[in-house]
Amino acid sequence: MSRQDGRAPDQLRPVKITRGWISHAEGSVLVEFGGTRVLCAASVQDSVPRWRRGSGQGWVTAEYAMLPRATNTRNDRESVKGKIGGRTHEISRLIGRSLRACVDYKALGENSIVLDCDVLQADGGTRTAAITGAYVALADAVAWMRARKMCPGDPLVDSVAAVSVGVVKSTPMLDLCYVEDVAAETDMNVVMTGSGAFVEVQGTAEGAPFDRRALDELLDLAVAGCEELTLHQQEALGR
Amino acid sequence: MSRQDGRAPDQLRPVKITRGWISHAEGSVLVEFGGTRVLCAASVQDSVPRWRRGSGQGWVTAEYAMLPRATNTRNDRESVKGKIGGRTHEISRLIGRSLRACVDYKALGENSIVLDCDVLQADGGTRTAAITGAYVALADAVAWMRARKMCPGDPLVDSVAAVSVGVVKSTPMLDLCYVEDVAAETDMNVVMTGSGAFVEVQGTAEGAPFDRRALDELLDLAVAGCEELTLHQQEALGR
Amino acid sequence: MSRQDGRAPDQLRPVKITRGWISHAEGSVLVEFGGTRVLCAASVQDSVPRWRRGSGQGWVTAEYAMLPRATNTRNDRESVKGKIGGRTHEISRLIGRSLRACVDYKALGENSIVLDCDVLQADGGTRTAAITGAYVALADAVAWMRARKMCPGDPLVDSVAAVSVGVVKSTPMLDLCYVEDVAAETDMNVVMTGSGAFVEVQGTAEGAPFDRRALDELLDLAVAGCEELTLHQQEALGR
Amino acid sequence: MSRQDGRAPDQLRPVKITRGWISHAEGSVLVEFGGTRVLCAASVQDSVPRWRRGSGQGWVTAEYAMLPRATNTRNDRESVKGKIGGRTHEISRLIGRSLRACVDYKALGENSIVLDCDVLQADGGTRTAAITGAYVALADAVAWMRARKMCPGDPLVDSVAAVSVGVVKSTPMLDLCYVEDVAAETDMNVVMTGSGAFVEVQGTAEGAPFDRRALDELLDLAVAGCEELTLHQQEALGR
Amino acid sequence: MSRQDGRAPDQLRPVKITRGWISHAEGSVLVEFGGTRVLCAASVQDSVPRWRRGSGQGWVTAEYAMLPRATNTRNDRESVKGKIGGRTHEISRLIGRSLRACVDYKALGENSIVLDCDVLQADGGTRTAAITGAYVALADAVAWMRARKMCPGDPLVDSVAAVSVGVVKSTPMLDLCYVEDVAAETDMNVVMTGSGAFVEVQGTAEGAPFDRRALDELLDLAVAGCEELTLHQQEALGR
Amino acid sequence: MSRQDGRAPDQLRPVKITRGWISHAEGSVLVEFGGTRVLCAASVQDSVPRWRRGSGQGWVTAEYAMLPRATNTRNDRESVKGKIGGRTHEISRLIGRSLRACVDYKALGENSIVLDCDVLQADGGTRTAAITGAYVALADAVAWMRARKMCPGDPLVDSVAAVSVGVVKSTPMLDLCYVEDVAAETDMNVVMTGSGAFVEVQGTAEGAPFDRRALDELLDLAVAGCEELTLHQQEALGR
C-alpha cells in the first residue's frame, strides 16, 4: 500500500518544531507537518475574561486562521468578508478545548494565555499541527510566566498532541496530507495527552459510513502517532 | 446508579416525533427528547448552490438555532448581535453533514433541501434531537418531491439518528439531560445510520481525559440508543 | 360578502391562547389567530438598561422574529444575513411600545421584562397576535415577580390587545388572513387597551388612498375586535 | 393656548421649499419646516430591482438618515456602528411607501427613482418634512425623465404631503416642533394626497392612551395642514 | 494654459466660508471651494476616549462622509452597506491628524472635539475643503468652550488649511476641480499651518511617476494656495 | 548621531529577500527589513473585477494585514472584530497603487494579480517592506504567467521600492525601526520606481509641523534608500 509521498500507512510526515520563531510573543513556534506550516504564538495577559474575574482561576483560548494564499487557490480574507466562517470557528474552539485539557486553572492564577495559530502553508492536518505546535508555545509562555513568578503553581499538568487519521482507498492511514484528506472515506482527528488519554475524538464519514472495526483501527494508528508527536514536543523543549 | 429523573443509565428519555407540525414546509417535525423540543422544517428548492450547478446532483444543508428563551436564562439573538456564534455554526455543519450521509445526490437531481432546526426548549441533547427529527422531516420532503416526480430516483439510501452519551460521576450514561451534560466528565455525540454504521463520533473530555475503555463503553451505549431512535423514526413514518 | 374561510366581515378567526407553553420563561404563551401561531416568552431581569439605572423605574421591551419556514416560501435567517431587516425592527418596536402602554414603570421597580415573540407559523396578523399573546405572557411574568415580591407595586395598569383590519374588494374586514392581507387596498393595525382607548393606529394605503369614511369603518371594526380579544385574554388568565 | 414659538395650535411653522439645491441630482430640494431642514435628492436609474425586471414597471424607494450633529447632542454615525437602527429603517420605509402612493409604475417604465432624505438640522417633524420635500424632488426628477422621453406616460398621478399632529398638554396641535414632540401625550403622523385622501395614518400614545374624539380632532388638524402643504408644493413647482 | 472654468493655473476657485450654518453644533461651517460644498460641525464633549482618561489632556477627532448624491452618480450609503470604505477611513484619519497639528491637548483639558465633515456636493478637493472648513468650526467650538471656561488654556496654537494641487496635461495647477482631478497625472494634497509649515504632504502618481522638479513646483503652488486659504479663514473669523 | 542599533542616519537595516517562501502562490517572498518580516504572496487570477471586464486590460490589487502577535502586545483580529480598521485599509490601498505604477494593464491582458502582504513580525516600516517585497513576488508571478503565455506582452514596465524616512531628535534618518518611528517628529513614506521617479510621497508631522528644508533632506535620504532597495530586488531576482 504505497502513499503518494512514499510513506508507510502508519508513518508521520517529517515533523519540525522551531521555537522562538517570532520575537515579540511570550512563546512562539513554527510547526511543520510535511508541507503544512503553522505559526503558533502564545500571548500572556495578566487578566481574565469578565465571567472569570474574581475566581482566582486563569483561562486559555485559541484563534485559528489561514493566510489567504496558504492554500492552492486564494481564499478571501475573513476580515474582508466581515465574518468568520464556520470552519474557522470550529477549529479555534477545538484548539482551545484541547489545550485547556492540560492546564490547571488555579495554578495559572488570574492570567490568560491566547494561542494564535496562523496557517502559513496548508497541506492537510492544519488543525492537528496547530494543536501540537501550540502546546510547545504554551509551554514556553508558561515558563516565561514562572520565571516572573506570575503563577501560584505549575499550570501544565500534562502535554497535548494531535494527529489526523483516515481511511483512504480502504486503508487506514496516519497523518493525511491534502490529497489523501480529499480522497478519504473516513476522516478522524484525535487529540491525546502525553500520558496517553483521549482529549478529543472527532470521526466523520466523508464518503461512506464506517463500522466499529475501522474506528478501532484508526484509533490504534492515532494513539501511536500522538505518542511519536509527544516525543517531538519533548525534544523541542529540550526534555 | 440513579439518575435525577429516575432513568437507568442506558435508558433514553421519552421520545416524541410529531409530523406535519407546521403547515407551509414540505416536511416538518416537532421532535421531543424529554424536555428538549426542536422544530425541524424541511424546505425544498428546485435549484442548487452555484458551485453545484450543471452537475445533475442535489444538495442538502441545515441551519440550527435556538430561540432566546429556549434556555434557563435568556440568550441574546444572533440576528441582533449581527453574527452567528461558533457553537451555532458548528452544530449547523454537523446536522448538514449527518443528513447528507443518507442522501444519494444523483437520485435527488438538481434540487436542494434545507433543514431548519429551531430549538424551542432546551434540556440537553439539542443537536442529537435535531438530527433525529430532521431525518423524519427530510423523509417527508423527499416523499413530497417524489409525489411530484421531481427526483430522478430515490434520494434516501438509509436513515440517520443521533444520541449523546457521557460519563457522569464515573458512570457512562445515555441521552444526557442538561444537568447531566453540565456535570459530565466526558461527553460524546454519536450519529449513526439505520443500518448500524457510524456517521459521526465526537467525543470531548470536558473534565478529565478519558481512556480507551471509557470510549468503548460510551460507543456501546450510543449504538443501542441510535437503534432505538431509528425504531421511533420508522414508527413515526408509519413503516 | 363571503370570505375565503367563510367568516363574516366582522368576525375574528378562532383565537387560542395557551399559557406556560415553554418551561423556562417566567411567562410564556402560544397564541393562535387561525393559522398564525406565535410563541411569546417573557423574561424577567433584575436590572434595567444603562440609561434607566438609578431611576427606580423599570423597562419593558420586545423582540419579534420569524422562523425561516413560518411562511409559504423559506426566508433567509437574519442571523445569517448578519442584520435585522426594516420590517422586523419596525414590528419589534411596535410590540414594545404597545405593551409599555399598560405598564407602570415605578410599580415595576428597577426590573426589565423582555418579550420575545417568535412566529412559528404565519398566516397574516402576526404582529397583532404577538401583541395580544405577549400581554398574557407579561401578565404571567408580573405575577411571578409579585409572588417573589420583586415589585414595589402592581405594574399592570390595564391590558393591551391588537387586531388588523382592512378594506378588501371594497369591504372593510376584521382580522385579515394572509391572502386577504395581500389583496387589501387598505390595511390597518390597531392596538387598544382593555379599557377601550387607543394605543396605536397604523393605517396604510396599500393600493389606493382611503377616505375618512373608510377610516371610520375600519376603526369601528377594530374596536369591536379588540374588545373580543380582551375577553379571550381575561379568560386565558382565569379572570 | 400659546405655543412656545407663539403659533396658534392649528398653525404650521414657516415652510420653505428650495428646488435645485444640489447640482448633480435629477431632482433636489432643501425643505424647511421651521428649524427642521432636510435635503431631499431624487436619483433616476434606468433599471429596476431584480424582482421587478421584465415587468415593464418601475419602482420608487427612499432612504432617510440624519447627519450626526443634526440634533442637540451628537449621534454616532450608523455607518460607523455598522448597522442601521430601527427608527431609520422605519422612516425610510414610510417615506418610500408614501411616495409610491402617487406613482403609476407602468407610466414610469422600467426605471427607478431613489429618494435620499438627509436631515441636516432636526427640530421635530423630520419625517413629514422629508415626505413633503421628497415629493417636489420626485416631481423634478420625473420632469427630467419626461424631457428625455424615458417614461411611457406620466408617472405622477397625484401629489403627496405629510404633517405631524399631537396632543400637548391636552391641546391638539399641528406640526409639532421638538420640544412639543417630546411633551406630547399622543403623536400622529399623517400622509395625504393632494386630492385629499389618506395614505398613512400613524398615531401613537406616547403618554396615555387616547380616545376616539382626540383621534378625530387630530385628523381634522392634519387634513388642514396637508392641504396647506400641498399649496406650498404647488407654489414651489410653479403651478 | 486655460482651465475649463477659465482660472489661471495658480488660482483658487471661489472660496466661501459660512459660519453658524446649523444651530445645534458648538461650531459649524458650510465651506465651499467652487462647486464643492462641505458641512463641518464641531461637537464638544466633556470627556475623552478611554485610553486618554486621567491624562489631563484632550483629544480631537474627525469623521468624513459623503451624502449618496453628492456626486454625479449615486453611491450606496456606507450605513446600508454595513461598513465604511477605505477611502472614507483614509480621509477621516487625514482630517483628524491635520487638525490635531494646531491643538495643544493640555490647554484643551480632558475634553474632546469631534469634527463631522459631510460632503453635500462634490466637485474635487472635498478633503482639502473639509480641513479648511473644519478649522473654522473648531475655532468656533474652542471659543464656545473658552466662554464657558471649560479649558485650562488656549488650545489653538496655530491655524490649519489644505489645498490640492496636481499636474494636468503637463501643467501644475492649484485646487483641482473634479474633471481636472480625474485627468491629473499627479495629484497632491498639502496641509499647512497658518504659520507656513507643512502638516501633511501626500503626493500620488495617478498616471506616470513624477520627478523632483514637478514635486517642487506643486509644493510652490500649494504653499501659495494655503496662504490664501488662511486669509479666508481669518476673514471668516473676523480677525 | 548614533542610532539605537548603531546604524548611520542614512543607513538601511539589513535587507533580506527570500523568494519562493510558500509553495502554492505563483510568486511569494519573505522580505525582511531588520526585525520587520512580511510574507508577500502574489496570486494570479484569469479574470478581472466586474468594472474591468471586456476592456482587454488587467488589474493589480493588494491586501495588507498583521498577524495578531506581530507586535509587542497582541492586537485583536480584524476578522473577529468583523471589520477592517482604517490603518489597514489605508496601507492596502497604498500598496496596490504603488505596484500598479509599474504595470502595463494592456500587456497584462484580462488577468488579475492579488498581492497579499501579511506582517509576521513588525518593527517599523512594514508598509515599505511590503511594497518592496511585493514587487519581487509580482515579478515572479508575471514570469509564471509569461511562461504560460497568459499575457499579450510584458506587463512590468519598471520596478517599485519603498522606504520610510523621518526626523528623530532633529536628525533626518533613513528606514526607521519601531522605537525611532514612535519618537519621530516627522515621518515620511516614499515609493519610487527603479528608474528614479516618485510614485508616492506621504509626509506627516507627527509632532511639530516641518519646513521645506526638512522635507528636502528627507526626500534626499529616501531617494538614496530606494536606489539601494532596488539593487536588493534586482539581486534577489538574479538580474
Side-chain angles (χ1 to χ4, degrees), chain A residues 23-46:
Chain A
S23 59
H24 298 304
E26 284 75 34
S28 79
V29 159
L30 183 74
V31 60
E32 297 170 77
F33 279 20
T36 287
R37 240 185 271 175
V38 185
L39 177 53
C40 306
S43 297
V44 172
Q45 293 167 345
D46 60 357

Side-chain angles (χ1 to χ4, degrees), chain F residues 100-118:
Chain F
R100 287 193 291 272
C102 68
V103 172
D104 176 342
Y105 298 134
K106 283 201 178 145
L108 184 55
E110 278 201 27
N111 301 294
S112 301
I113 303 178
V114 183
L115 292 151
D116 285 293
C117 300
D118 287 89

